[in-house]
Amino acid sequence: MVSYMNVLLYGVGGLVVAGMALLVAFQEKLVYVPVLPGLSKAYAITPSRLRLTYEDIWLTSSDGVRLHAWFIKLFPNCRGPTILFFQENAGNIAHRLEMVRIMLQQLQCNVFMLSYRGYGASDGYPSQHGITKDAQAALDHLCQRSDIDTSRIVVFGRSLGGAVGAVLTKNNPDKVAALILENTFTSILDMAGVLLPFLKWFIGGSSSKGKILNFLVRSPWSTIDVVGQIKQPILFLSGLQDEMVPPSHMQMLYAKAATRNNRCLFVEFPTGMHMDTWLAGGDQYWRTIQQFLEQHAPVKKEVESSQNENGSDHVRHEMDENARVEVEHACYIYSSCNDVPPIRGTALQNSGCIHKQVCTENISLLYQDSDGRCLLS
């Protein structure tokens, strides 16, 4: 019996030591994956492939790293909201272009896509300290531009990008109008226990008040410590079928933010997975974001009045049948709800925030007019 227990203890100890060794040696490769298996680091396509108007932007971070980005505009003089988009940990910004194309059409916005250091055409090697500087360089660039409404800059981060966006938003209360988080983790510390379950006994929780081996994690990305300090409005988009980040992480982030910020909104998408919530959520996904932007990044009244006097850049004309153009994957309008009815306006206890549940529905439209609006088929 004694020998059996010794073997068991040695086995558990060996697993812990092996896990620690893997964590110390390869943690950056686990957290940051600039190159997907079987693909190259270079961009597979550029926005021009999807007929999007864009600029190649080259930035220099505060520590001297050369960074690349794409600034994609709905049209040259668009004064709509500008989305500063931060991607997930794997691949590069080219892999998000189809989603961004639909984002432009649905939200009538501009989108700035940054390649983190070590990703795409950017120099350097990824780290939490470095990527935080990269995000600040991107925001500073946007704030210096004269061709956008700098009061309508909204940060949008998915997964790792949500952690990046949360830090940037907290650090820039006067530059960022609002924050959108989608399928974001509470911290890399907690994700270590998700990916390697036996580590959850040794790593996790707050970076400042966590477990004994937290000091080994070089990129903790403790969003749970940051989100409660954000003063701007926050929209939480959670796919309940997320196979990478447990949906409970988003719920904890929302609960932490809502205790101090009464301008929060939490929306669940029952069929949304880690990477496809924007697609599974359909029209309700885009409508939720659009309403959030209209409320928290509205057009300035003087600009709106000026546009009305000049005929407006956004006048929408009725299109006759001959003017309709069918565009594959251009937009998605949905008709009947599957299984779960929407739950709207359900107030959470002890919170000034609103919780919604959004159902997925069936595609019934793939048409677009010359102004980029979706039309019923």
Side-chain angles (χ1 to χ4, degrees):
M1 182 66 178
V2 174
S3 62
Y4 174 78
M5 289 300 296
N6 287 339
V7 170
L8 182 61
L9 289 173
Y10 282 130
V12 172
L15 285 174
V16 172
V17 171
M20 290 172 56
L22 287 171
L23 183 65
V24 172
F26 300 110
Q27 60 182 273
E28 276 80 14
K29 293 186 181 296
L30 293 172
V31 176
Y32 309 110
V33 189
V35 183
L36 293 171
L39 300 179
S40 69
K41 184 173 180 286
Y43 303 127
I45 60 173
T46 67
S48 60
R49 177 77 173 270
L50 301 181
R51 298 182 180 180
L52 299 175
T53 302
Y54 78 105
E55 298 175 39
D56 270 309
I57 304 292
W58 293 96
L59 307 171
T60 302
S61 65
S62 60
D63 57 348
V65 177
R66 189 168 184 257
L67 307 169
H68 178 254
W70 286 327
F71 188 34
I72 306 174
K73 304 191 74 173
L74 180 65
F75 49 84
N77 296 319
C78 178
R79 306 289 291 186
T82 294
I83 304 295
L84 175 51
F85 180 77
F86 296 119
Q87 67 161 74
E88 306 88 329
N89 73 317
N92 59 50
I93 55 177
H95 301 131
R96 281 80 192 174
L97 280 174
E98 179 65 17
M99 183 276 296
V100 167
R101 178 175 72 167
I102 296 172
M103 179 183 285
L104 266 72
Q105 295 166 344
Q106 294 283 353
L107 304 181
Q108 302 289 292
C109 64
N110 307 308
V111 181
F112 191 95
M113 305 178 74
L114 172 70
S115 280
Y116 308 136
R117 61 183 62 200
Y119 283 69
S122 294
D123 295 341
Y125 299 93
S127 68
Q128 177 172 339
H129 184 69
I131 291 177
T132 299
K133 293 179 179 295
D134 301 345
Q136 188 64 54
L139 178 61
D140 291 344
H141 168 82
L142 286 175
C143 290
Q144 293 169 6
R145 296 186 69 111
S146 60
D147 59 340
I148 65 170
D149 186 344
T150 56
S151 70
R152 305 181 74 191
I153 297 174
V154 175
V155 171
F156 189 147
R158 180 181 294 139
S159 191
L160 172 67
V164 177
V167 172
L168 182 70
T169 302
K170 177 186 77 72
N171 292 340
N172 295 272
D174 299 326
K175 294 181 179 179
V176 176
L179 171 66
I180 302 173
L181 297 179
E182 180 177 325
N183 296 336
T184 297
F185 44 76
T186 53
S187 70
I188 291 295
L189 300 168
D190 290 332
M191 285 301 297
V194 173
L195 298 174
L196 300 171
F198 63 89
L199 287 179
K200 68 182 179 182
W201 302 104
F202 309 97
I203 294 175
S206 169
S207 58
S208 59
K209 299 179 180 179
K211 298 177 181 177
I212 189 170
L213 298 183
N214 282 2
F215 73 94
L216 294 175
V217 181
R218 292 186 288 271
S219 291
W221 287 114
S222 191
T223 314
I224 193 72
D225 290 335
V226 174
V227 73
Q229 303 177 52
I230 295 174
K231 299 178 180 179
Q232 300 95 311
I234 310 174
L235 172 61
F236 297 83
L237 304 172
S238 179
L240 296 187
Q241 302 304 315
D242 194 326
E243 74 286 8
M244 297 292 293
V245 177
S248 60
H249 282 225
M250 283 290 287
Q251 294 164 8
M252 286 187 283
L253 290 175
Y254 170 73
K256 184 66 175 288
T259 58
R260 299 183 181 181
N261 186 343
N262 63 4
R263 293 185 296 171
C264 297
L265 181 68
F266 187 97
V267 184
E268 294 174 342
F269 299 90
T271 62
M273 299 180 72
H274 191 64
M275 298 288 287
D276 77 346
T277 298
W278 65 274
L279 189 57
D283 186 53
Q284 288 289 347
Y285 175 91
W286 296 112
R287 188 178 302 158
T288 297
I289 298 176
Q290 183 178 40
Q291 291 173 351
F292 179 78
L293 294 178
E294 288 173 353
Q295 182 177 0
H296 299 295
V299 63
K300 291 181 178 179
K301 290 184 178 180
E302 58 267 27
V303 173
E304 193 174 41
S305 300
S306 175
Q307 288 178 343
N308 289 337
E309 292 172 1
N310 295 319
S312 179
D313 292 329
H314 301 287
V315 172
R316 299 189 169 187
H317 304 284
E318 290 294 324
M319 301 294 295
D320 61 30
E321 193 66 30
N322 294 329
R324 295 186 177 192
V325 180
E326 186 170 359
V327 181
E328 184 180 5
H329 302 310
C331 47
Y332 302 90
I333 299 296
Y334 299 82
S335 54
S336 61
C337 180
N338 293 333
D339 301 327
V340 184
I343 300 173
R344 300 176 185 276
T346 303
L348 293 183
Q349 189 175 7
N350 300 324
S351 170
C353 305
I354 299 300
H355 176 282
K356 291 183 182 179
Q357 188 177 44
V358 177
C359 61
T360 55
E361 305 167 74
N362 298 321
I363 296 175
S364 66
L365 173 86
L366 284 175
Y367 287 88
Q368 179 186 38
D369 67 16
S370 61
D371 289 326
R373 293 184 298 128
C374 294
L375 301 171
L376 286 173
S377 57

